[in-house]
Amino acid sequence: MSGEHLNITLKIWRQNSPNDNGQFEEFKVSISPDASILEMLDELNNNLEREGKRPVAFESDCREGICGTCGIVINGHPHGPLPKTATCQLHMRNFKDGDVIYLEPFRAAAFPIIRDLIVDRSAFDKIQQAGGYISFNTGGAPDANTIPIGKDVAAEALDAAECIGCGACVAACKNSSAMLFVGAKVSQYALLPQGQPERYKRVQTMVAAMDEAGFGSCTNTYACEAECPKGISIMNIARMNRDFIKSKIVEQEVDI
Amino acid sequence: MKLESKVPEGNIAEKWTNHKFKMKLVNPANKRKYDLIVVGTGLAGASAAATLGELGYQVKVFTYHDSSRRAHSIAAQGGINAAKNYQNDGDSVFRLFYDTVKGGDFRSREANVYRLAEVSNNIIDQCVAQGVPFAREYGGLLANRSFGGAQVSRTFYARGETGQQLLLGAYSSLNRQIKNGNVKVYHRREMLDLVIVNGRAQGIIVRNLLTGELERYSAQAVILATGGYSNVYFLSTNAMNSNATAAWRAHKRGAFFANPSFTQIHPTCLPVHGEAQSKLVLMSESLRNDGRIWVPKKAGDNRPPNEIPEDERDYYLERKYPAFGNLVPRDVASRNAKYVCDEGRGVNGERAVYLDFSDAIKRVGKKVIEEKYGNLFDMYQNITGENPYEVPMKIYPAPHYTMGGLWVDYNLMSNIPGLFVLGEANFSDHGANRLGASALMQGLADGYFVIPYTIGNYLASEKPEKVDTERSEFNDAEQNVKDIIAKLLSVNGKQTVDEIHKRLGHILMDKVGMSRSEKGLKEAINQIRELREEFWNDVKVVGTGEELNQTLERAGRVADFLELGELMAVDALNRNESCGAHFREEYQTEDGEALRNDEEYAYVAAWEFKKVSEWELHKEDLKFEYVKLATRSYK
């Protein structure tokens, strides 16, 4: 599988701590096209460590595109130029010898930079804690097949539930909106029968937490969907908006 | 010290029910007086923390991730087993129990496995109620698929993302408890020592990974759910950060480590492509439902796969194991891949075999295959640049799961009172080989349905008095951590942490991997000792301890791997038999199958740490009353 090495110029955002001014630093690397972009950074860091220099701080974990830990803006695109691909799955064969690659953190007011390419995405957890669940204690569940769910409905719910919580949607959005992330969770439960009892309360508490965390509004540019590594559809935003409006009516009738 | 498994009396089908009745309870009003520590937020940790919070305990849960949703359970692909028998194909709790004991090659504890099978059905109910979108049939009922080592269809799934969906379910329950105030979550904290007060586990020392500060936390009990140690091999399917440090530091404080040599090398992973590679990628075992595994009959046949005619292909698993075919258990599939590659029949002479979907695509059409495995095929193409709908996948085994782990009794408590161990971090349910789709089952069984009962029994005899973190035991443990960090930073040698880790991985993969021998294991022990010496004299860790320092984090983990790796070899050398994933070349049948020695080795090897390179072996004898000891046959 291996071929000629590629010579790449990297311009990487370096920022020591949240309040420092950052700047780009340039590195030259030679890398196998079979390596992933993060493996290229591993190699760069290994060389920096050997020279006693501070390695580039970046995060990753599963390297299979599912944990949502990694996230770098690569040449202006969160997770890079390929559609439906997380940073860890982007392989160097997608670049050419002599390319210049800019690597930057996910930028948003709600995601403060911690160091270099690492940002603080704890705002996402706060939104989930506000209502991203079905209130149900372990132990009391009925037999799983007592709740039939259509194959297509389950698939649609799973399409929404596949969100990996990486934050690329926020980084892609000119308003730093988190509505794709929130809409995906709201939709998963709104589509399923198990989610109905708390449907309208959930959308209200999650949207309130989203606003409080400092994310912007949606102005329908669709950038989030275009950059989402899981291809989460903006239909989920529409569904959330619809439920949110409906919840204002519902709350007139019953106490949600 | 004698190991007591504390398996309850009575018929196996009644043990858990009787035990639940006999165990002591903590009064609902008193539960809030107890502090509990949970380390890890994977399936086991998150489900335990959430459920204990629901019961009213005050839970502190720790993860080194930036969010508890990122634990490596999230990457599990294929599915989760349960004995629902929704397919009417003859499944039952007893059959799931039987398959799991047999699949583990008779080196697990019967009573634990039975309980696992028993609660498996509750897990599916629980997850559906939480809103986990499992795959469905057109009529709206749950769908199942088949997995290795079973002749019934009992695996529930959500595309190739079952682990993600189950973990996000547990994460949602955890979030609810965080909001309710019963659980407090501590992100970006790595546990670096266990604190024992009056012989009981009552606290931990963690490093705040953002600031480098060491922090102390106390509780009436500590629950470790910190996963497995496949990353000891450097290249594995585990996430980059998965490590053994929390379990290993507990081991050095007295917790016995059981069956460390039982490591699963998963048959369907992508082959190694080069030295820059950071991890190996798993392709779900579910692919073996429809993919056929083959290599050319002749060594040196380097024609492209589509040009090799049918009669010049060796579908070696179907040939050797007609009853199970491509769905033999993982250890058998992996070992056979190694054999054909050792014979020079690997793809292009390399260490790879074909996993071919062309027959399945002909049979059911591309669309059906895409529906079942689409995301896995995409992932394959993404990584290799080849289209698996047209060209067979190339696969090779990779370290994936560790059956070994900290020793626990039936209540999931280690030999240290108050220290409980759940999920992959313990040793208890999979014997010498884990069957596919059983890891998710065990993690959630331990967390949702076992620990909430057994911890109550322990706490009922413990006074809920706050443990002062200014006690000398906390000072000592913190000093121990400080010393390790200072030592790592002071070596200032020439080799990087990764360079040494890779060398450890090569030794282990070569000599403590799919095939082991007395000679190789003795060499491995010496080589690991030398490498450890080299590490402490020549490692280079840049930066300081008082800041975010990812190199320092990895250095601490590799330091522990260098001790654990030796114990794996010691354990493998002690076990003069072949069983499951532990294959000793000296002990095999005429046709190359594992040859167990039940007379002498039907025991759990639990190792007590004395000092570095010195352990004392304790044995827990295994009795098989319900599954008759027999040579596994998948023919």
Side-chain angles (χ1 to χ4, degrees), chain A residues 121-192:
Chain A
R121 289 168 290 189
S122 51
F124 269 14
D125 275 338
K126 294 203 178 78
I127 297 171
Q128 296 292 343
Q129 286 158 16
Y133 46 76
I134 289 170
S135 297
F136 160 78
N137 280 357
T138 303
D143 183 87
N145 261 350
T146 52
I147 316 170
I149 299 169
K151 189 183 170 82
D152 294 346
V153 174
E156 183 79 13
L158 180 53
D159 285 345
E162 278 177 341
C163 166
I164 61 174
C166 63
C169 48
V170 175
C173 178
K174 61 174 183 164
N175 309 319
S176 299
S177 167
M179 285 181 80
L180 192 67
F181 169 77
V182 184
K185 190 46 80 178
V186 165
S187 285
Q188 177 194 343
Y189 294 134
L191 284 160
L192 295 170

Side-chain angles (χ1 to χ4, degrees), chain A residues 60-64 67, chain B residues 64-65 70-75 190 225-247 278-279 399-402 424 501 553-554 556-558 560-561 564:
Chain A
S60 78
D61 203 34
C62 76
R63 297 210 175 178
E64 295 181 16
C67 73
Chain B
Y64 53 68
H65 291 100
R70 309 216 194 275
H72 191 52
S73 303
I74 204 143
E190 179 163 28
T226 50
Y229 50 90
S230 293
N231 269 349
V232 71
Y233 291 99
F234 186 75
L235 282 182
S236 84
T237 66
N238 281 191
M240 300 304 289
N241 293 299
S242 300
N243 69 81
T245 286
S278 58
K279 72 157 281 177
H400 176 57
Y401 185 90
T402 51
E424 189 178 353
H501 192 180
E553 292 165 27
R554 275 183 287 130
R557 296 166 190 172
V558 172
D560 292 337
F561 281 146
L564 168 60

Side-chain angles (χ1 to χ4, degrees), chain B residues 70-113:
Chain B
R70 309 216 194 275
H72 191 52
S73 303
I74 204 143
Q77 299 171 355
I80 176 165
N81 286 330
K84 284 283 193 186
N85 193 33
Y86 283 160
Q87 305 307 320
N88 196 31
D89 57 358
D91 204 5
S92 63
V93 167
F94 198 88
R95 187 178 296 280
L96 175 54
F97 155 68
Y98 179 93
D99 286 349
T100 307
V101 171
K102 179 187 167 195
D105 215 358
F106 303 93
R107 290 295 173 266
S108 50
R109 198 188 279 147
E110 271 191 341
N112 283 56
V113 180

Side-chain angles (χ1 to χ4, degrees), chain B residues 621-634:
Chain B
D621 289 325
L622 293 169
K623 288 189 197 67
F624 293 89
E625 296 172 63
Y626 296 88
V627 185
K628 218 176 119 218
L629 275 165
T631 302
R632 280 193 315 172
S633 172
Y634 292 96

Side-chain angles (χ1 to χ4, degrees), chain B residues 65-339:
Chain B
H65 291 100
D66 69 315
S67 163
S68 44
R69 67 182 288 155
R70 309 216 194 275
H72 191 52
S73 303
I74 204 143
Q77 299 171 355
I80 176 165
N81 286 330
K84 284 283 193 186
N85 193 33
Y86 283 160
Q87 305 307 320
N88 196 31
D89 57 358
D91 204 5
S92 63
V93 167
F94 198 88
R95 187 178 296 280
L96 175 54
F97 155 68
Y98 179 93
D99 286 349
T100 307
V101 171
K102 179 187 167 195
D105 215 358
F106 303 93
R107 290 295 173 266
S108 50
R109 198 188 279 147
E110 271 191 341
N112 283 56
V113 180
Y114 193 91
R115 176 178 62 193
L116 176 66
E118 200 177 334
V119 302
S120 68
N121 292 337
N122 302 103
I123 297 170
I124 303 304
D125 300 340
Q126 164 81 10
C127 295
V128 166
Q130 269 173 351
V132 170
F134 282 121
R136 301 271 166 171
E137 302 293 354
Y138 281 106
L141 301 187
L142 287 151
N144 289 115
R145 55 167 59 143
S146 306
F147 255 64
Q151 287 174 314
V152 292
S153 205
R154 63 160 72 101
T155 305
F156 295 79
Y157 64 99
R159 293 188 191 131
E161 299 158 337
T162 318
Q164 183 202 23
Q165 294 310 312
L166 296 177
L167 184 64
L168 293 181
Y171 166 77
S172 72
S173 290
L174 184 63
N175 282 334
R176 177 168 161 250
Q177 291 311 309
I178 293 168
K179 187 182 185 185
N180 290 352
N182 284 349
V183 175
K184 186 159 167 43
V185 61
Y186 296 81
H187 295 124
R188 298 190 191 273
R189 305 295 205 288
E190 179 163 28
M191 170 180 157
L192 294 177
D193 211 346
L194 176 72
V195 184
I196 297 176
V197 178
N198 297 329
R200 292 167 140 61
Q202 294 204 314
I204 58 172
I205 305 293
V206 301
R207 181 168 179 271
N208 180 325
L209 300 181
L210 292 183
T211 63
E213 266 170 88
L214 298 181
E215 301 168 352
R216 306 168 176 200
Y217 297 93
S218 70
Q220 274 78 43
V222 176
I223 298 168
L224 297 187
T226 50
Y229 50 90
S230 293
N231 269 349
V232 71
Y233 291 99
F234 186 75
L235 282 182
S236 84
T237 66
N238 281 191
M240 300 304 289
N241 293 299
S242 300
N243 69 81
T245 286
W248 194 252
R249 306 257 166 119
H251 173 58
K252 292 177 86 166
R253 289 278 172 199
F256 295 176
F257 210 106
N259 299 336
S261 69
F262 289 173
T263 56
Q264 179 164 80
I265 318 283
H266 192 292
T268 50
C269 303
L270 299 190
V272 178
H273 66 63
E275 266 303 300
Q277 192 152 357
S278 58
K279 72 157 281 177
L280 295 168
V281 174
L282 175 89
M283 290 279 118
S284 166
E285 168 167 315
S286 61
L287 292 171
R288 289 200 272 143
N289 270 303
D290 288 299
R292 299 178 70 196
I293 294 172
W294 64 277
V295 289
K297 279 189 178 158
K298 278 195 305 274
D301 186 345
N302 291 349
R303 286 175 290 176
N306 298 341
E307 288 174 24
I308 300 178
E310 200 61 28
D311 61 350
E312 291 179 45
R313 300 177 175 190
D314 180 13
Y315 295 90
Y316 55 90
L317 290 178
E318 296 173 26
R319 172 171 58 80
K320 289 175 77 174
Y321 309 97
F324 281 69
N326 293 298
L327 284 175
V328 291
R330 292 176 172 176
D331 55 329
V332 179
S334 290
R335 205 149 47 235
N336 280 282
K338 177 182 189 298
Y339 290 155

Side-chain angles (χ1 to χ4, degrees), chain B residues 580-601:
Chain B
H582 169 66
F583 191 80
R584 279 282 299 272
E585 288 159 17
E586 301 91 336
Y587 308 100
Q588 51 181 307
T589 63
E590 274 176 16
D591 34 353
E593 301 297 333
L595 187 63
R596 284 199 330 262
N597 179 348
D598 295 328
E599 288 284 300
E600 291 174 89
Y601 291 96

